[in-house]
Structure formats: C-alpha cells, structure tokens
Amino acid sequence: GAVVSQHPSWVICKSGTSVKIECRSLDFQATTMFWYRQFPKQSLMLMATSNEGSKATYEQGVEKDKFLINHASLTLSTLTVTSAHPEDSSFYICSAREQGQINEKLFFGSGTQLSVL
Amino acid sequence: GQQLNQSPQSMFIQEGEDVSMNCTSSSIFNTWLWYKQDPGEGPVLLIALYKAGELTSNGRLTAQFGITRKDSFLNISASIPSDVGIYFCAGHRWTGANNLFFGTGTRLTVIP
C-alpha cells in the first residue's frame, strides 16, 4: 500500500518557539493532505485540509496564523506550529489522498508527538 | 465536526475470545471504514465497506455496513495479543471538504 512518512516522530520544544512537521507521500502523488490533532484517549480531529498549490482550508476554531500549512509540492506538506505553548502539546497526524482519486481511502503518517515545555 | 459514537469505549478480554464493537451516527454515510491505531502511530486501514448491508472479512476481522447506512460493526475472532490497540470507525460522504468523520474509538486490551 501507499506510504506516508511523517517527520519528526516526536519533538520537545520550549514555549514560544516554532516547530515544523513534515508529511511526505513516498510512492504516490498527493494533491490533498489532511492534518489532524489527537489528544490522549481521544479521536482524531481534523485541523485543516492542505491542497497542493493553494491555501489550506482550516476547520472552525483552528487558528490559521498559528498552524501554518504549506503544500508546495505533490509529495510534501508541512505544518508549522508557531509560538508554541504547552496547550499545543498533542499528537499530530497527517494523511494523504492519492492524486486523481476522489476516494475515501486515506493513508496516514505515523504521527508526531509534540511536547511544549 | 460531526462525531460518530463508538462503543464500547474500552474492552478487556482474554486471548482467544471474540470481540465485537460498533459505531453509530445520526447521519447517513456512503462508506464505512475501520482503522486500528497502535500507540504512537498513525491509524492503519483494516476494512472498507461500500454498500449498505455489505459484510466484508479481512482475516480474523469481519465488518458490516448497516442497512440504514448509519451504523457499522467490527468483529474480531480468536483475539491475539497483537490485536491490542485503539480501533476507530470512520464514515465517509461526498458532501463538503471534510468528508471523513472519525468515531470516538474503542481501546482493546487482550490479556494473554
């Protein structure tokens, strides 16, 4: 099956710093990628939809200036958590849909555990 | 966003036992999917269901798409320790940008 690589797997940072998370589709091209946040013992909550070559679409309540998304190529989307604070500590997961497919099958990255001190 | 209700929230079972979990929604979905998430990992797709009433198996896993299109269940037969993890259902429909909705999850613990 298709592989989505997410990096880093975990990151610890100081409050006020910015953190960048990368999501790559390794063996397919993805025009659409999705970013989720998952708090402990909770489900995945969609944060934003990342479209290659255009601005991301953010879900209600998600600050676009805080969670910067860039999808500059068909295989890479990045999420930057700017001026991170302890409440931003969470598990962030990306997923990707293969180019040309309007299907429901999303391939997920392995997630990034962010801890803000 | 919409959330699907999944039950039970958690299960503790003996190795070898069968497991059943279900997912319900107030809205109709075109597709139902079941994912498994291991700790510190992203979800992995187990089964996808495309038609109301459809019953699909993947090894020891069997899932069904409810007739009303508002529910689905997942069964695991003869559980083994590596079945431990969190199981999420997800419903998919073609309206709107956010068209995949996740359930609340069922945390499965298998006791050897």
Side-chain angles (χ1 to χ4, degrees):
Chain A
V3 177
V4 174
S5 174
Q6 192 172 337
H7 180 81
S9 299
W10 56 270
V11 57
I12 302 173
C13 68
K14 291 183 178 180
S15 184
T17 60
S18 294
V19 174
K20 180 185 283 189
I21 302 170
E22 293 187 348
C23 182
R24 293 180 185 273
S25 55
L26 296 187
D27 50 1
F28 66 100
Q29 293 184 324
T31 48
T32 304
M33 290 186 175
F34 303 87
W35 288 95
Y36 299 82
R37 180 166 52 185
Q38 185 179 31
F39 292 108
K41 297 186 178 181
Q42 293 190 22
S43 187
L44 286 73
M45 298 303 293
L46 182 68
M47 298 175 65
T49 301
S50 169
N51 298 298
E52 187 266 336
S54 63
K55 290 183 179 180
T57 302
Y58 290 82
E59 293 299 302
Q60 191 173 9
V62 178
E63 300 175 59
K64 62 180 181 180
D65 293 330
K66 181 165 186 64
F67 299 99
L68 300 179
I69 291 173
N70 185 282
H71 193 158
S73 78
L74 286 172
T75 59
L76 174 64
S77 175
T78 61
L79 169 68
T80 302
V81 183
T82 62
S83 187
H85 290 285
E87 58 265 29
D88 297 324
S89 299
S90 184
F91 192 58
Y92 292 86
I93 308 173
C94 71
S95 68
R97 173 182 291 150
E98 190 172 356
Q99 181 184 28
Q101 300 295 318
I102 49 171
N103 59 30
E104 66 296 333
K105 287 186 180 178
L106 300 180
F107 302 98
F108 286 83
S110 54
T112 298
Q113 181 64 53
L114 171 63
S115 297
V116 184
L117 305 178
Chain B
Q2 181 173 31
Q3 200 165 48
L4 279 60
N5 295 313
Q6 203 170 327
S7 65
Q9 282 189 325
S10 62
M11 303 179 73
F12 291 80
I13 62 169
Q14 289 286 124
E15 182 178 357
E17 289 184 351
D18 297 343
V19 173
S20 184
M21 60 190 78
N22 65 65
C23 194
T24 60
S25 167
S26 58
S27 303
I28 290 172
F29 288 104
N30 303 114
T31 305
W32 282 92
L33 306 104
W34 285 92
Y35 290 87
K36 179 181 182 237
Q37 184 180 28
D38 291 326
E41 298 286 334
V44 174
L45 181 65
L46 300 174
I47 291 179
L49 302 155
Y50 300 99
K51 288 172 53 178
E54 178 183 352
L55 187 70
T56 298
S57 293
N58 177 8
R60 293 178 297 106
L61 279 61
T62 302
Q64 184 159 32
F65 192 144
I67 290 291
T68 64
R69 295 168 64 191
K70 294 183 180 180
D71 62 335
S72 177
F73 73 74
L74 174 70
N75 285 345
I76 305 173
S77 62
S79 59
I80 59 178
S82 61
D83 290 335
V84 165
I86 304 175
Y87 292 80
F88 289 102
C89 63
H92 180 268
R93 65 167 74 96
W94 290 110
T95 56
N98 177 16
N99 51 23
L100 188 66
F101 302 90
F102 281 89
T104 47
T106 295
R107 185 180 296 269
L108 178 64
T109 301
V110 179
I111 304 168

